[in-house]
Amino acid sequence: MTDQREHILGCACDLYLEAGMEGFSMRKLAQQVGVTAPALYRHFENREDLLLQVVGEAHNVLGSYLYRALSASTPRERFSAAGEAYMEFALEHPRYFQIMHAFAEHLGLSEVPVEVEERMGGVKRFWDDRVRECMESGVLRRDDPDRVGLTLWAHAYGLLSLYLRGLLDAPESAFRELYGDSFARILRGLATTEYGADLDQHLTHSRESGPTRISPVDGTTP
Amino acid sequence: MTDQREHILGCACDLYLEAGMEGFSMRKLAQQVGVTAPALYRHFENREDLLLQVVGEAHNVLGSYLYRALSASTPRERFSAAGEAYMEFALEHPRYFQIMHAFAEHLGLSEVPVEVEERMGGVKRFWDDRVRECMESGVLRRDDPDRVGLTLWAHAYGLLSLYLRGLLDAPESAFRELYGDSFARILRGLATTEYGADLDQHLTHSRESGPTRISPVDGTTP
DNA sequence: CGCGGATTGTAAACAGCGTTAACTGTTAGG
DNA sequence: CCTAACAGTTAACGCTGTTTACAATCCGCG
């Protein structure tokens, strides 16, 4: 039934992973599958639809990486493991990382389809959960987990993106260290203590007008 | 002489800005210029070369935004202004932001050309300068400006990227606030004071010893 | 002035692309 | 047994980047 469909999808992933977006064409894919190009349209609406399924597969692989992080025993370790899992995924499957974060038009779409948006929402929620439990266990300051999660996600994504693009002329081992360091710096804070106090005021002030929780000074220790 | 060349380049920027990468073709560009497609090859080696020049123009525009930040009078204000300028550029010229941060293969290249890498290096150096003077004037903790600059750049780039991709379902005004907030959070630090102290040790330690992990020490405070 | 050479355009063509239309063979069901 | 669905084919359309061969214009030099 959908056996051939899955076979095609598998070949599509392979072809994309080895040839990239540039070398991906319906004709080449068909050849790899062992049919002619128009046959693909019996199983997929068009190229865009097909690539979207590949994005879905990329999300599945990322999911398997993140899921492993849950086996750590403390919130703090799960938090670390999640950060490392995200990095590991990006370094081991750069093409998947790339395609799932690609701008919509890269895939020939005008808008990000709901399916992808929802999957991304899942990644975000995973982060938020790690953040939340770290706040509850006194590792992270009490704050809006959603916003803090976003800050962390953006940082991780940005760093990995810059590295994969070859803009950081560091070997992988050096980057791995740099990634951890950068995370630690963010957690600890970059400002001096005096300036940090200023920022504290700013952040708590802006929180009062918004729909989010108020962060106390320090009520973390159990 | 190179008059026509510049005219073509101008049209190329216009065409890209209104049609995007998807709607950009040599034939359309030629039509807009008022010649036939092969004529373009008298002035540019190929499509890739031409798009690279567009990337160059994008860098020029970003440069003009960043440069304005230098007119602020204190390091701290210049730092803020730089962060805002980067955001302003991304929000006002999302296509330029996109193309200058695009993965190489997006443009049909196998590697990031030196020219682009150097331009990116310029952006990075601008950031580093802002960071350095903030360290010297006691706004930021004394640390490796290069690394701190990277952390901040990655965060800003990541956040803007996620927003422009439509993954943050916030209107622009909300995003602007979110962007500033996220910056403030990073500067102040996300960890509790106790955990922050741990990270302090980790960071100063790692400066002397080898590769590290995200979470340095066990012994979680429940 | 006239003549070569460089410069800048043209039309025609090639290979490849996504996609569609029309057609063929195979298979399952009433 | 005939029909309908299914899964493949070939041929074609209009698009793409790019190359080739050819024509026109302009500029400096003898």
Side-chain angles (χ1 to χ4, degrees), chain B residues 4 27 35-36 38-39 42-43:
Chain B
Q4 176 74 326
R27 283 178 163 91
V35 295
T36 57
R42 300 287 173 192
H43 305 271

Side-chain angles (χ1 to χ4, degrees), chain A residues 56-71:
Chain A
E57 180 57 24
H59 270 102
N60 289 342
V61 175
L62 170 60
S64 76
Y65 274 72
L66 291 182
Y67 185 70
R68 264 175 265 170
L70 289 181
S71 58

Side-chain angles (χ1 to χ4, degrees), chain A residues 144 147 206-214, chain B residues 177:
Chain A
D144 183 346
R147 291 228 168 175
S206 76
R207 184 115 314 100
E208 279 163 17
S209 54
T212 49
R213 257 185 270 172
I214 297 174
Chain B
E177 184 226 333

Side-chain angles (χ1 to χ4, degrees), chain B residues 57-102:
Chain B
E57 180 56 25
H59 270 102
N60 289 342
V61 175
L62 171 59
S64 75
Y65 274 72
L66 291 182
Y67 185 71
R68 264 175 264 169
L70 289 180
S71 59
S73 54
T74 69
R76 184 167 159 176
E77 283 168 341
R78 283 192 287 273
F79 180 79
S80 288
E84 281 177 25
Y86 192 59
M87 178 189 72
E88 218 64 54
F89 167 74
L91 295 181
E92 288 177 17
H93 307 279
R95 287 248 153 82
Y96 273 159
F97 181 83
Q98 203 170 139
I99 202 177
M100 67 188 279
H101 290 99

